[in-house]
Amino acid sequence: MKNKTGVLPREGEAQPSRCPDNTAFKQQRLPAWKPQLTIASVLSSFFLTGAFCLTVGVCLVLSANSVREIQVDYSDKCSDCSKLRENSSNWNKECHCSVNFTLNEDILGDVFMYYGLQNFYQNHRRYVISRSDAQLLGRNVNIQRSYCAPFSTYRNGTPMAPCGAIANSMFNDTIDLLYHRNSSVIQVPLLKTGNSWWTDKNVKFRNPESYNLSSAFAGTARPPYWQKPVYLLDQEDERNNGYVNDDFIIWMRVSAFATFRNLYRRVRRVQHFAKGLPAGNYTFHISYNFPVTRFKGRKHVILSTVVWCGGSNPFLGIAYLVSGTAATLTGFVITGIHLKLRKKKTYFQKQ
C-alpha cells in the first residue's frame, strides 16, 4: 500500500493510520441536544398547529368572501373588433366597443380595475427570458447579445426599445369607465400611476439619461406590435413614459399561470365617487387592440375591492384549513393509538 508520498512502504515499516484524528469534532463527541419526544409534547404540537391553521384559515376565507367584485367578459361582445385584429395589416385601424353592466349595490372603499387574460401562457421559458434587464435599466447595451431575439433588431439593424417577446406582446387595450347618472354620462376618474411595485418603479426600471425622452430613445424603434414608441406611452403625464410607465412595468412581471389578472387602474375617489362606486348603470368603453382569438383566449375587466389579505382569492385560506384539519385529525389518531396501546400494556401487567 502506498503512503502519502505515493511510495510503497518497505517491509517492517508501520502502515500510516487512516483513522480520523482523536478530536471531539472528528470523533463526534461534541455536546448535542436531542429532543425527548413524549406523548404530551407530540399531541400538543399537533393540536396547537391545527388550531392555529384553522383559525388563520377561517379568517382568510371570511376576508376573501367579504371582497366585492364584478367581472365582465368582453371577448364575445367585441367580436367585430376581434375579427379586425386577426389581420395584422389592420394594426393602425382603430376599433371601439362598449359593454354595459349594472351595479346592484354600492362598492364602498378603494376600487381597483384589473384586466384579465385567459389561456395566455406567459410561463414558457423562452418567453420569460426574452428581455434585456440592462436595457430596462437605461444602459447602452448591445441587445443582439441578449435573449431578446427575434425581437431585438429590425432587418436594417435598428434596435427595438424595449426588446424581447414580453415587451412586444404588451396588453394595449384602452378601457374607460362611464357612469350613467340620471340622464347624464359621467366618466369615472381613474388613476394610471402608483399601481406598480415600488421596487420595480424605482430600482428595476430606469430611462436613459438625456435632456428629453425622445432624444434618449433616438436611434431605436418601437416593437413591431406596438402602435406608438415607448416614450409616448402616456401622452398626458411625461413622468409616466418610457421604461417607467406603470402599465409597462406591471406587464413585464410575468404570471406563472395561463389565467391571470393585472392591475390596470384605480378609481379616484372624488366628487360622486368619494365613497367608491355607487350603484347604477355603467359602461366599459374599450379601444380594442389586443387580439386573443388565435390562441383561443378570453379577456375580462374586473372591478374589485381589497382587504388586508389581498383580493378575492380563497386559495390561501383553504390551504390553511386543509393543513389545520390534517394536523388535528393526526392528533386524534395518535391519541387513539396511544390509549389503545396503554390499555394493552396495563392488561398484560395485571396478568
Side-chain angles (χ1 to χ4, degrees):
M1 178 182 178
K2 294 183 178 181
N3 54 22
K4 293 182 179 180
T5 60
V7 181
L8 290 171
R10 299 177 183 177
E11 271 186 50
E13 289 186 0
Q15 297 287 340
S17 175
R18 301 182 65 182
C19 296
D21 296 336
N22 189 20
T23 61
F25 176 76
K26 292 188 176 181
Q27 295 297 334
Q28 299 184 11
R29 294 195 302 265
L30 291 174
W33 176 78
K34 183 179 180 181
Q36 299 295 328
L37 297 179
T38 62
I39 189 64
S41 62
V42 172
L43 289 179
S44 61
S45 63
F46 273 103
F47 284 121
L48 288 176
T49 302
F52 172 77
C53 290
L54 289 175
T55 303
V56 175
V58 170
C59 295
L60 290 174
V61 170
L62 293 177
S63 298
N65 291 335
S66 65
V67 173
R68 292 293 311 280
E69 179 177 301
I70 180 171
Q71 180 171 304
V72 178
D73 188 328
Y74 65 96
S75 304
D76 297 330
K77 297 178 181 179
C78 298
S79 57
D80 294 337
C81 293
S82 178
K83 293 178 180 178
L84 179 69
R85 291 290 177 242
E86 288 182 4
N87 188 351
S88 59
S89 61
N90 297 325
W91 67 270
N92 58 344
K93 295 181 180 179
E94 294 186 0
C95 189
H96 302 272
C97 60
S98 298
V99 181
N100 299 319
F101 67 98
T102 302
L103 288 181
N104 297 322
E105 298 179 358
D106 296 344
I107 300 182
L108 302 179
D110 294 328
V111 182
F112 299 82
M113 180 189 294
Y114 301 84
Y115 62 85
L117 292 177
Q118 184 177 341
N119 205 38
F120 189 93
Y121 289 86
Q122 287 188 312
N123 55 5
H124 193 282
R125 179 179 176 275
R126 289 195 63 186
Y127 182 88
V128 172
I129 66 175
S130 184
R131 59 188 292 166
S132 174
D133 291 323
Q135 184 195 47
L136 298 177
L137 284 171
R139 300 173 183 171
N140 187 13
V141 295
N142 184 5
I143 60 175
Q144 291 183 345
R145 297 181 180 178
S146 65
Y147 295 103
C148 288
F151 302 103
S152 55
T153 59
Y154 286 92
R155 293 181 179 178
N156 59 0
T158 305
M160 298 181 188
C163 70
I166 307 176
N168 184 58
S169 61
M170 177 181 167
F171 183 85
N172 57 352
D173 282 0
T174 302
I175 306 172
D176 294 322
L177 181 59
L178 306 177
Y179 172 50
H180 300 271
R181 186 173 183 270
N182 299 327
S183 58
S184 60
V185 178
I186 303 173
Q187 183 169 355
V188 179
L190 301 175
L191 296 172
K192 58 176 68 175
T193 57
N195 300 324
S196 59
W197 291 16
W198 185 92
T199 52
D200 289 349
K201 185 83 171 182
N202 298 277
V203 178
K204 294 184 179 181
F205 293 83
R206 285 282 188 275
N207 283 326
E209 294 183 359
S210 182
Y211 62 92
N212 59 31
L213 278 182
S214 59
S215 61
F217 290 97
T220 64
R222 59 175 176 81
Y225 290 173
W226 284 29
Q227 296 178 332
K228 48 190 174 182
V230 66
Y231 55 86
L232 293 178
L233 289 178
D234 189 353
Q235 299 182 7
E236 298 177 358
D237 188 356
E238 294 182 356
R239 297 171 297 177
N240 192 36
N241 271 315
Y243 297 147
V244 295
N245 176 264
D246 274 47
D247 292 337
F248 174 70
I249 292 174
I250 291 173
W251 178 259
M252 293 300 291
R253 183 174 288 275
V254 297
S255 173
F257 301 100
T259 299
F260 62 92
R261 63 175 64 177
N262 284 337
L263 181 59
Y264 181 68
R265 296 288 184 268
R266 291 176 295 127
V267 175
R268 186 180 179 186
R269 298 176 63 177
V270 294
Q271 297 179 355
H272 304 290
F273 313 100
K275 296 181 179 180
L277 289 181
N281 297 321
Y282 290 83
T283 299
F284 283 126
H285 184 71
I286 301 167
S287 177
Y288 198 105
N289 300 306
F290 193 85
V292 295
T293 54
R294 288 192 175 182
F295 56 88
K296 298 180 181 179
R298 303 193 70 83
K299 296 192 289 186
H300 309 82
V301 185
I302 303 103
L303 293 174
S304 175
T305 59
V306 295
V307 290
W308 62 273
C309 61
S312 178
N313 188 358
F315 174 78
L316 186 60
I318 294 174
Y320 269 99
L321 290 176
V322 171
S323 301
T325 303
T328 305
L329 290 178
T330 303
F332 281 118
V333 171
I334 295 175
T335 302
I337 294 174
H338 170 68
L339 294 176
K340 186 176 181 180
L341 293 177
R342 189 174 64 176
K343 287 181 180 179
K344 285 186 178 180
K345 184 178 180 180
T346 304
Y347 173 77
F348 284 115
Q349 287 176 351
K350 289 181 179 179
Q351 296 295 326

